Amino acid sequence: MSGTHNGRERRQAAGARAVAAARGRRRDSTWMIVAAVVVVVLGVAVIGGVLLQRYRSNQAAETVLPAMTVPGSGQYPVELDKADATVLVGKPTARNTVDLYEDFLCPICGQFEAANFTNIEKQLQAGTIKVRYHLLNLLDNSSNPPGYSTMAANTALAVATASPGKFMDFHYSLYRKQPEEGGAGWTQQQLTSLANRLGVSGPAFDSVVNNKTYNSQINTNLRRAEADPALQQQTSGGSGFGTPTVLANGKTVNWQDPSWLDTLASQ
Amino acid sequence: VLESVGTVVRLGLAAVWLVAGAGKVADPGTFAVSVKAYQVFPDEMASLVAAIVPLLEMALGLLLLFGVGTRLVGVLSGLLLVVYIAGIVQAWARGLSIDCGCFSRGGQVAPGQTQYPLDLLRDTGFLVLAAWLTIRPRTRVSVDGWLAGRQQAALAAADDRGSSEAESAVGSNEQ
């Protein structure tokens, strides 16, 4: 009697153990699969990130900057101020002077150029304005490696040194094809190649590029601009100096007003 | 009720990761600048980190959206957030003036414009969400829930079979 009873209990206990074990195994294996899926998805994300990064930097390095010429840019003088590292463009008889503070890496400067280039060119040819280009390096730390802004500005000044008549072409081409902020920026080879294809080369150009002739003056110009009370503007983030900054006859103008240049030219 | 709260928490954190990740993927340069502004990594590393992190965030967001491995993803989300918080704290402590770049933008800002307490508060809030999912990973409309349901059904079926099999096995042993 008791033997049968014990046997039944034993049998039940063993059955429960077997079921629990099966349940445990099943739960473990499902959990392992889910964990594996999580790991695989995250792994794909990481590898994708690495590949994306490699693809982006390769693409940037292989970009050939299109050489674009500005029609009619030969109709007014272009003069490099070597001491000041600024470029004055326009007919000497023009009544109004526009001072442009720009950085070749700055996307908003690119927008400014895209929106205003045609009209600036028209006014320069008409002789209503002169434009003084201040090529700054505000965003020097926003490229990787840092320093694209300075390198681009120095190369533009090298163009103005060797062939002043090509400065506007170079300036225009570089704004039409800006590198990405935070990216590698164009290399010196890419910049030099652009200048060469615009017809600028020779020892005068090479010397400025290789000696980085204007780097320190570009730094000085930025510090001066940042300290100049006349150049401070209210932005969303308080008061300060930013690029682009546009002065008309020494006073800041709101260049986001589309009529700023026509208003000035008609004075 | 707790499962419903958990579901909202899960989808909320999923939205946070997806929005944060997508914003950075769309604007990679800006995010690279923000990573550099923390001054933790050498430049080369910073670019790589800037390329990986947005995709990682989006992957976490997708896993949470579908509710795959919610507890594990909760733990990993928490770890990532702890890293972010540590990054912001070290920037604050070193007196760097940067925007956290948490939702794109970012980089250096004027000294008066930092908002470290706000950034930290927000990230801590996200951390609470991640902790919730780690402690209570069961939520509605999730792959996890679906798998658990299927498993239960399978086990219920196996239970009958299992006990009779076990019984016959034990029985045969006794003979």
Side-chain angles (χ1 to χ4, degrees):
Chain A
M1 271 294 255
S2 70
T4 334
H5 187 68
N6 277 348
R8 189 170 179 77
E9 261 182 9
R10 264 214 317 273
R11 251 179 288 152
Q12 270 177 353
R17 271 201 303 278
V19 169
R23 197 188 288 256
R25 267 201 305 282
R26 210 179 277 261
R27 190 167 287 170
D28 277 355
S29 66
T30 310
W31 195 86
M32 294 272 282
I33 293 168
V34 168
V37 168
V38 170
V39 169
V40 167
V41 169
L42 297 182
V44 166
V46 169
I47 293 166
V50 173
L51 294 179
L52 195 65
Q53 154 77 2
R54 193 168 296 171
Y55 169 76
R56 280 195 189 122
S57 55
N58 281 349
Q59 235 197 2
E62 281 166 12
T63 304
V64 174
L65 306 177
M68 285 182 276
T69 52
V70 179
S73 64
Q75 296 179 16
Y76 45 80
V78 175
E79 202 180 315
L80 168 69
D81 183 332
K82 289 191 179 179
D84 211 23
T86 55
V87 182
L88 184 64
V89 175
K91 298 181 177 165
T93 51
R95 294 184 307 274
N96 301 297
T97 304
V98 173
D99 281 274
L100 281 184
Y101 296 80
E102 297 179 320
D103 183 317
F104 280 114
L105 187 58
C106 136
I108 308 177
C109 301
Q111 289 168 22
F112 169 82
E113 285 293 332
N116 291 281
F117 173 77
T118 313
N119 200 8
I120 289 178
E121 196 54 37
K122 193 175 105 190
Q123 302 299 345
L124 283 170
Q125 289 173 24
T128 55
I129 60 167
K130 287 179 278 198
V131 179
R132 187 179 291 112
Y133 287 94
H134 303 255
L135 311 171
L136 300 181
N137 58 350
L138 184 67
L139 299 179
D140 237 7
N141 290 321
S142 297
S143 59
N144 178 25
Y148 170 75
S149 296
T150 309
M151 192 166 70
N154 185 62
T155 309
L157 291 165
V159 171
T161 306
S163 331
K166 304 284 189 184
F167 171 78
M168 290 301 272
D169 295 342
F170 186 82
H171 180 266
Y172 177 67
S173 301
L174 211 42
Y175 272 113
R176 282 301 295 270
K177 188 83 186 164
Q178 281 184 291
E180 208 179 336
E181 196 179 357
W186 311 134
T187 61
Q188 183 63 62
Q189 283 99 315
Q190 283 169 303
L191 295 173
T192 300
S193 151
L194 171 62
N196 292 161
R197 279 176 289 117
L198 285 167
V200 187
S201 57
F205 174 80
D206 293 341
S207 146
V208 173
V209 167
N210 295 336
N211 299 326
K212 306 178 181 0
T213 308
Y214 291 106
N215 281 20
S216 71
Q217 188 59 39
I218 293 165
N219 282 325
T220 307
N221 287 352
L222 176 65
R223 279 201 301 279
R224 263 189 215 152
E226 285 177 328
D228 187 344
L231 296 178
Q232 310 299 306
Q233 288 187 92
Q234 291 297 326
T235 59
S236 54
S239 167
F241 172 76
T243 50
T245 288
V246 183
L247 298 190
N249 298 324
K251 285 205 178 112
T252 53
V253 293
N254 175 19
W255 58 267
Q256 266 144 341
D257 171 3
S259 64
W260 73 271
L261 185 51
D262 288 327
T263 311
L264 176 69
S266 64
Q267 273 174 17
Chain B
V1 180
L2 284 177
E3 265 188 47
S4 304
V5 175
T7 310
V8 173
V9 168
R10 195 190 87 218
L11 294 178
L13 194 57
V16 168
W17 282 138
L18 287 174
V19 170
K24 287 165 199 162
V25 168
D27 195 357
T30 309
F31 185 57
V33 173
S34 338
V35 175
K36 243 166 277 175
Y38 280 90
Q39 298 178 24
V40 174
F41 303 104
D43 279 348
E44 276 300 306
M45 267 288 272
S47 306
L48 199 61
V49 170
I52 291 172
V53 163
L55 292 182
L56 207 56
E57 289 182 342
M58 289 185 71
L60 289 173
L62 280 178
L63 289 169
L64 284 174
L65 182 64
F66 292 105
V68 181
T70 305
R71 173 168 276 164
L72 181 58
V73 177
V75 171
L76 295 173
S77 297
L79 286 177
L80 190 55
L81 284 164
V82 167
V83 171
Y84 288 177
I85 290 172
I88 296 172
V89 167
Q90 66 87 26
W92 196 1
R94 285 161 73 194
L96 306 180
S97 39
I98 62 174
D99 180 291
C100 76
C102 307
F103 292 90
S104 69
R105 301 256 318 286
Q108 283 190 326
V109 297
Q113 269 194 275
T114 55
Q115 23 180 257
Y116 295 118
L118 201 68
D119 291 339
L120 287 175
L121 195 68
R122 190 190 44 209
D123 277 4
T124 309
F126 295 158
L127 192 58
V128 169
L129 298 186
W132 176 290
L133 292 177
T134 306
I135 296 164
R136 295 190 173 278
R138 289 187 60 171
T139 55
R140 292 178 205 279
V141 259
S142 63
V143 170
D144 284 345
W146 178 74
L147 281 176
R150 249 179 49 135
Q151 198 173 41
Q152 225 136 47
L155 278 175
D159 257 1
D160 304 333
R161 253 185 305 128
S163 36
S164 54
E165 269 168 26
E167 242 173 71
S168 59
V170 172
S172 62
N173 267 350
E174 274 202 344
Q175 275 174 358

